Amino acid sequence: MSLPQNVRFSVLDRSRIREGHPPAEALRDTVALARELEALGYHRFWVSEHHGVPGVAGSAPTVLAAAVAAATRTIRVGTGGVMLPNHQPLVVAEQFGVLESLFPGRIDMGLGRSVGFTDGVRRALGRDKGDAEDFAARLRELLGWFAGTSPSGVRARPAEGLRVPPFVLALGEGAGIAARAGLPMVIGDLRGRERMLRGIDHYRAHFQPSPWAAEPYVVVSGTVAVAATPEAARRLLVPEAWSMAYSRTHGTFPPLPPAEDVETRTMTAKERGFYEAGLAGHIAGTEERVAHELETLLKETGAQEVLVTTSTYDRAALLDSYRRLAGIVNQP
């Protein structure tokens, strides 16, 4: 087994709420995890944006990123991502300008094109599904605030003149948008490998160099679970798989349950189908198995970075997984 030495490994933590634990604990867990991962040598630590979701506490990513950056010293901190259709580009530029001013040289600006998942959330945000179609224009406007090229006469302070590396979260049309804008791209997930590879090929074929990136930069994202046994690694996947199955059948995304509780629950045939699908296709197993699968992934994609997005109920087991993964990555 031999992983390319120049590939970076980073983490996105979604601040998943756990059954029996308050949302505030999920946010504190995110900050604590960032400290641990910094010590383990991970390159970036990103947080996410979700609105009105019972199982996710991370609704204000730039606020949470500030807390993470304040609690760490060297690891890069950013968002995976700020959903640009939900916000005015000027406000996003100002927020990241503040972050970069407070934590210079450590802030990333990951940007997505999703809007709220439900009609109620979209109404509350003052948005609708069509706003995602304006993503490319909003992205140009946002980058213009940093460059000081807005025709409005307004200046984004303290963003103007700062360099906060932008990344595009590529789902659907995102790969083409990232390529035309000349920006690094984050693409997943690992379960849809063929679709992911098509997106990467499209991105590289259509990439146009920009002041932000002279050549394509690909970050592949997905779940990676490492444990002492295959069974323990699978158990890490169980809470998220069940929550996803529940959301597909009930329309709401719940807090994570303990794996042992899920394994005793009765499921309908439809729920069981979604649950089993949710357990499949991830990179999971012992160190040897995961190392082999990561080597294959990196050969297939040529990615420069892997963004790990694992969520589970057992925080100690999650940290152990990240320790084991760091051991694989740091092998001489």
Side-chain angles (χ1 to χ4, degrees):
M1 186 281 300
S2 177
L3 297 181
Q5 292 299 305
N6 59 341
V7 173
R8 295 161 166 166
F9 280 76
S10 301
V11 171
L12 166 65
D13 190 75
R14 292 191 172 90
S15 304
R16 294 286 274 113
I17 299 168
R18 298 181 290 158
E19 284 186 3
H21 298 260
E25 185 174 337
L27 297 171
R28 291 193 292 269
D29 285 344
T30 291
V31 176
L33 181 63
R35 291 195 197 99
E36 297 280 3
L37 297 185
E38 179 177 66
L40 290 171
Y42 284 88
H43 183 61
R44 311 180 201 276
F45 187 91
W46 283 5
V47 296
S48 63
E49 175 182 340
H50 296 276
H51 299 284
V53 180
V56 182
S59 57
T62 53
V63 176
L64 185 53
V68 170
T72 54
R73 295 185 302 107
T74 57
I75 196 169
R76 297 195 64 87
V77 178
T79 56
V82 165
M83 296 300 124
L84 195 51
N86 292 339
H87 310 282
Q88 291 297 329
L90 170 61
V91 175
V92 175
E94 290 171 338
Q95 290 173 345
F96 279 97
V98 169
L99 284 170
E100 175 64 20
S101 298
L102 291 172
F103 309 102
R106 292 180 56 206
I107 301 300
D108 299 321
M109 185 168 60
L111 304 162
R113 63 192 295 269
S114 296
V115 291
F117 289 131
T118 67
D119 289 339
V121 169
R122 287 190 288 270
R123 283 194 300 271
L125 291 169
R127 299 291 184 265
D128 59 45
K129 288 183 179 180
D131 286 312
E133 303 307 313
D134 296 331
F135 179 72
R138 286 175 175 267
L139 181 60
R140 286 193 298 272
E141 181 184 342
L142 172 60
L143 298 181
W145 289 116
F146 287 94
T149 58
S150 172
S152 67
V154 177
R155 313 296 285 271
R157 307 189 190 280
E160 187 174 316
L162 298 180
R163 285 190 64 84
V164 182
F167 294 74
V168 172
L169 277 60
L171 294 172
E173 297 298 315
I177 293 171
R180 290 188 295 274
L183 300 180
M185 176 185 72
V186 183
I187 189 166
D189 66 39
L190 303 180
R191 292 175 295 175
R193 195 68 59 89
E194 290 302 319
R195 181 184 179 191
M196 183 178 71
L197 291 173
R198 286 196 301 271
I200 291 171
D201 288 344
H202 180 86
Y203 169 71
R204 290 195 174 116
H206 295 87
F207 184 86
Q208 299 176 15
S210 76
W212 299 98
E215 57 189 25
Y217 189 91
V218 174
V219 183
V220 292
S221 68
T223 295
V224 180
V226 196
T229 66
E231 295 76 18
R234 182 184 184 277
R235 202 170 299 122
L236 280 164
L237 307 177
V238 164
E240 185 79 4
W242 183 86
S243 292
M244 289 296 295
Y246 187 92
S247 72
R248 296 290 296 275
T249 52
H250 293 78
T252 185
F253 198 66
L256 294 173
E260 55 269 24
D261 287 4
V262 173
E263 292 166 342
T264 63
R265 291 180 181 178
T266 301
M267 301 184 200
T268 65
K270 188 174 184 181
E271 286 172 334
R272 177 67 62 179
F274 285 130
Y275 172 67
E276 294 295 340
L279 291 172
H282 305 292
I283 293 180
T286 62
E287 281 95 333
E288 183 178 6
R289 173 73 177 179
V290 168
H292 174 74
E293 292 194 23
L294 284 172
E295 184 178 18
T296 300
L297 171 70
L298 293 169
K299 283 182 178 177
E300 289 178 349
T301 63
Q304 287 97 333
E305 189 167 341
V306 178
L307 181 68
V308 183
T309 61
T310 310
S311 297
T312 195
Y313 181 91
D314 187 335
R315 299 297 294 189
L318 179 64
L319 180 56
D320 180 67
S321 176
Y322 281 127
R323 285 196 185 108
R324 291 174 183 271
L325 178 58
I328 295 170
V329 173
N330 295 327
Q331 282 184 0

